[in-house]
Amino acid sequence: MNDRERRRRAIRRFYDRLGKLLDTQGFYEQSGLDILVREGRFNQAHDVFEFGCGTGRLAEQLLAGPLPVDATYTAVDLSPRMVEITRERLAPWQNRVDVRVSDGSTHLDFPDAGFDRFISTYVIDLLDEEEALELISEAHRVLCRDGLLCLVSITNGTGLFSRLLMSSWKLLHRFSPLLTGGCRPVRLPCLLQADEWEEESHHVISRFGVAMEVLVSRRREDPRLQGERSCA
Ligand SMILES: C[S@@+](CC[C@H](N)C(=O)[O-])C[C@H]1O[C@@H](n2cnc3c(N)ncnc32)[C@H](O)[C@@H]1O
């Protein structure tokens, strides 16, 4: 087993054990999700994909809120327990929902241009940089023309208290990644190439000193594929 597989196994075990308790982090995480729901133009979405859906709280917010009644929601998560919780939570929409357990791979088993929203919230901060770049590249492949990449992550602090807290978080993560649930502050815009993505909105906020970044970027068209990737 290589390092990556070992790390994924540890992350799966952590989130399987955490289960519904993951939602207790909502006291700070929810502010980032609310901004994403506002900025992601979900009332115009038809096919939404989420990488690392956790307990399905964002999916529920979208399905009960802005998503059109015929929009579909597809998700993967490394943790079978999280997938079970999400499926239960989204039972009222089961005809439009497909939630799968994954092996944690950032190579996605979905066709090109099948989605118009690609969401990942508080997951990129768990991936190493190489995995994060692979995931962004897959997001570009599975999104159709003008599709939106919708990301939320913890990030570096801004004010004094937040800077102190997030620096301590990084130190703790370096000491033992599982003490922080595997996540550490990252800078989302650094992962996106300007010729592939056009930034639509970018917010950095802080709640109780925890700094979060919300980034919505539009997939730029590859001129070589013009006309071939639009959503049906
Ligand atoms: C911090 S939780 C965030 C969950 C949810 N997105 C939210 O905002 O509440 C991270 C989630 O990502 C999942 N995860 C971590 N690494 C993953 C990977 N490589 N592939 C798929 N899911 C992953 C975990 O199992 C967990 O459910």
Side-chain angles (χ1 to χ4, degrees):
M1 193 187 296
N2 62 32
D3 277 357
R4 198 180 258 195
E5 286 164 347
R6 238 189 306 277
R7 200 163 42 79
R8 283 179 185 162
R9 220 164 116 157
I11 291 174
R12 170 180 283 144
R13 206 175 315 125
F14 180 89
Y15 284 98
D16 273 347
R17 283 193 188 143
L18 192 62
K20 287 184 179 168
L21 284 177
L22 176 61
D23 285 348
T24 57
Q25 293 176 5
F27 76 93
Y28 69 87
E29 289 184 346
Q30 189 59 42
S31 331
L33 300 183
D34 288 343
I35 295 176
L36 190 72
V37 171
R38 201 180 67 217
E39 300 285 351
R41 290 192 266 127
F42 288 99
N43 58 341
Q44 296 162 31
H46 296 290
D47 295 293
V48 176
F49 177 80
E50 182 167 13
F51 183 84
C53 55
T55 60
R57 64 182 160 157
L58 176 59
E60 183 183 37
Q61 196 176 346
L62 292 173
L63 286 158
L67 278 182
V69 291
D70 57 348
T72 67
Y73 171 84
T74 305
V76 295
D77 199 289
L78 177 61
S79 151
R81 178 70 187 124
M82 289 298 164
V83 167
E84 188 183 39
I85 295 169
T86 297
R87 284 183 183 151
E88 274 169 24
R89 193 170 202 163
L90 303 186
W93 300 278
Q94 60 185 343
N95 297 342
R96 294 151 56 196
V97 164
D98 175 7
V99 184
R100 307 179 191 178
V101 178
S102 80
D103 62 0
S105 172
T106 40
H107 296 286
L108 304 174
D109 197 12
F110 295 95
D112 295 1
F115 301 101
D116 54 17
R117 297 292 180 280
F118 186 107
I119 304 172
S120 198
T121 64
Y122 306 106
V123 182
I124 293 221
D125 42 34
L126 280 164
L127 306 179
D128 65 33
E129 192 176 334
E130 196 186 352
E131 284 175 312
L133 292 170
E134 281 166 11
L135 184 68
I136 303 290
S137 159
E138 279 291 83
H140 197 269
R141 181 183 69 75
V142 300
L143 274 174
C144 63
R145 183 194 308 175
D146 292 334
L148 297 182
L149 175 65
C150 302
L151 303 176
V152 183
S153 160
I154 58 162
T155 192
N156 297 330
T158 43
L160 181 62
F161 176 57
S162 171
R163 274 210 300 273
L164 264 172
L165 182 74
M166 300 318 282
S167 306
S168 316
W169 192 315
K170 267 188 196 164
L171 276 176
L172 207 59
H173 178 269
R174 220 168 284 159
F175 174 66
S176 169
L178 283 181
L179 286 176
T180 65
C183 53
R184 82 288 182 212
V186 297
R187 289 275 299 113
L188 292 173
C190 303
L191 299 168
L192 272 57
Q193 289 181 26
D195 60 341
E196 294 191 338
W197 301 100
E198 184 174 341
E199 191 173 298
E200 290 231 330
S201 74
H202 181 215
H203 299 262
V204 178
I205 56 165
S206 158
R207 288 290 175 273
F208 306 101
V210 181
M212 292 158 285
E213 203 169 23
V214 184
L215 181 67
V216 176
S217 293
R218 194 169 55 78
R219 182 190 182 287
R220 280 190 202 274
E221 196 47 35
D222 179 340
R224 287 165 305 177
L225 298 173
Q226 213 130 51
E228 290 177 16
R229 300 186 61 102
S230 54
C231 287

